[in-house]
Amino acid sequence: MKRRNTSDATRRTGRTDARIGAASARASSSLATAMSGAGRGVALALSSLLSASLAPSALAASPPLGGVFDSGLPHRPIPGVLSRLVLAGDQAQSYYVYVPRVALPGAPLVVAVHGISRNALEHAKQLAPFAEQYGVVLVAPLFDESRFPDYQRLGRTARGERADLMLERIVSEVGRTTPADTRRLFLFGFSGGGQFVHRFAMAHPERVASYVVGAAGWYTFPDDSIPFPRGTLLRKCLSDVCFDPELYLRVPALVLVGERDVHEGSAMRHTTRVNEQQGDSRLERGEHWVRAMQAAARDRGYDTHYEFAALPRSGHSFNRAARRGRMGERIFGWFFGTDRVLMQVKAANGK
């Protein structure tokens, strides 16, 4: 086990604890208002129990790597503690996982995928309080650049390992070591992770319940006359993948882009074909992709919900989008709304 006992780590731990504590307060408030009449007393009692169980003492007592339990080994995650684990059978593959203190069997699994800065830990730290609040399991894989240089496009032939297949291995392990229901995933990705997430959902729609794309640089449009990655026409670049619009157009998606994310940036793909098809900025491209998905779904008679939203006071920064744009709230609200809190109340009441 690795330990880093520095003042910076202590401050980071304190901030993580504060976010968990805030999540506790939000959970208590949500539960208190979730029921009325005869059920209100039960909800308030459960709220009090949750407030006690969600107190940040467990994180404060955890190893001080910024509030992260860093085993460097295969391990069963500790509820209430953000953990960095390695995949059994592959010591080079790591991921972060958070299991809430109150986790019911069959808890949904949220997957958060980093951008090309490989900031998986940032994703896990920012989103763990929401996983606690909603009672869901969170996993943030780390796709190493040397192994997964093309992870945004899932890992095309001769361009590194397949990131989509690695995610399935991680999810399988998380399903064995946590209460999570891994049959259908709730996916979020930012920047390069947004590219991965929407392409994963289109390639494996049977595995995805819903997804949120954060500020992807460019998109795969629902057009089988255009070669992948701009469209869904495959030319031996991804074995065993078939883009079936009858399936992928049934999975709801939300696209979030900062209202100030209008600059080209060196990391955003710019070619004549991409610009003409998708637009000149991440803001334009996100809007165009949502409209294309809406139109394609309507053409097949589907009422699948696709939505675009601009995050206030945010550019192309995950942390600023999370803080200023309240991105975490938008993500988990899209996935679960208040339904997850109500489900926890009913389970506690034996219904």
Side-chain angles (χ1 to χ4, degrees):
M1 182 185 303
K2 302 177 183 177
R3 293 177 180 265
R4 301 178 187 175
N5 194 10
T6 67
S7 58
D8 287 344
T10 301
R11 286 194 295 271
R12 288 194 298 269
T13 303
R15 289 195 295 268
T16 303
D17 294 347
R19 290 198 296 271
I20 296 291
S24 168
R26 288 194 296 271
S28 299
S29 176
S30 297
L31 286 166
T33 57
M35 301 183 69
S36 58
R40 184 173 175 82
V42 176
L44 288 171
L46 183 57
S47 172
S48 298
L49 289 173
L50 279 174
S51 295
S53 65
L54 298 184
S57 57
L59 272 182
S62 68
L65 181 57
V68 181
F69 178 83
D70 188 1
S71 71
L73 296 169
H75 195 278
R76 186 172 294 275
I78 303 170
V81 177
L82 179 59
S83 303
R84 187 186 76 87
L85 306 178
V86 299
L87 186 66
D90 188 343
Q91 295 294 300
Q93 179 59 55
S94 64
Y95 62 93
Y96 296 92
V97 62
Y98 184 82
V99 178
R101 294 180 176 91
V102 180
L104 300 175
L109 179 60
V110 174
V111 176
V113 183
H114 58 72
I116 61 173
S117 64
R118 266 72 184 180
N119 59 337
L121 178 56
E122 282 185 296
H123 280 235
K125 283 186 174 181
Q126 288 284 356
L127 299 180
F130 296 96
E132 181 67 54
Q133 177 184 350
Y134 283 86
V136 305
V137 176
L138 171 71
V139 63
L142 178 59
F143 293 126
D144 181 78
E145 186 174 5
S146 63
R147 295 180 65 180
F148 304 98
D150 194 52
Y151 83 99
Q152 306 99 308
R153 273 76 64 184
L154 306 184
R156 293 167 291 177
T157 302
R159 302 189 188 211
E161 298 181 39
R162 285 276 297 274
D164 57 336
L165 302 183
M166 179 55 74
L167 177 59
E168 290 287 16
R169 290 180 60 190
I170 293 171
V171 165
S172 178
E173 179 166 286
V174 170
R176 294 191 299 272
T177 59
T178 76
D181 180 351
T182 62
R183 289 174 296 179
R184 299 193 73 191
L185 310 174
F186 294 85
L187 301 180
F188 162 73
F190 189 83
S191 194
Q195 291 190 48
F196 171 85
V197 159
H198 86 277
R199 291 179 178 125
F200 184 100
M202 294 175 76
H204 308 287
E206 74 287 351
R207 297 287 290 119
V208 182
S210 182
Y211 59 106
V212 177
V213 180
W218 58 303
Y219 295 79
T220 293
F221 275 61
D223 188 334
D224 60 9
S225 69
I226 300 176
F228 181 81
R230 290 192 302 115
T232 58
L233 176 63
L234 289 173
R235 292 176 175 172
K236 299 182 180 179
C237 61
L238 286 172
S239 61
D240 69 26
V241 168
C242 175
F243 291 106
D244 185 349
E246 298 296 322
L247 298 178
Y248 71 69
L249 288 171
R250 295 177 183 267
V251 185
L254 169 67
V255 173
L256 301 173
V257 184
E259 65 180 4
R260 299 175 183 173
D261 197 350
V262 295
H263 304 293
E264 294 183 2
S266 59
M268 194 171 78
R269 181 174 295 267
H270 280 283
T271 67
T272 300
R273 288 180 177 179
V274 171
N275 291 354
E276 289 179 350
Q277 178 198 29
Q278 305 189 17
D280 295 325
S281 70
R282 292 182 181 88
L283 201 63
E284 288 183 13
R285 293 177 181 185
E287 289 183 289
H288 292 168
W289 183 80
V290 165
R291 286 200 294 267
M293 295 292 280
Q294 290 171 336
R298 284 196 304 269
D299 288 346
R300 287 168 174 78
Y302 303 155
D303 60 354
T304 309
H305 191 189
Y306 295 101
E307 185 175 318
F308 176 88
L311 299 174
R313 301 188 305 127
S314 304
H316 194 67
S317 163
F318 171 77
N319 277 324
R320 288 182 180 177
R323 294 194 308 270
R324 296 179 179 179
R326 305 172 73 91
M327 185 166 60
E329 294 179 17
R330 299 297 298 265
I331 294 166
F332 282 79
W334 172 266
F335 286 155
F336 308 115
T338 59
D339 293 344
R340 183 67 191 164
V341 173
L342 290 172
M343 187 175 75
Q344 289 179 293
V345 171
K346 290 178 181 179
N349 291 337
K351 295 182 180 179

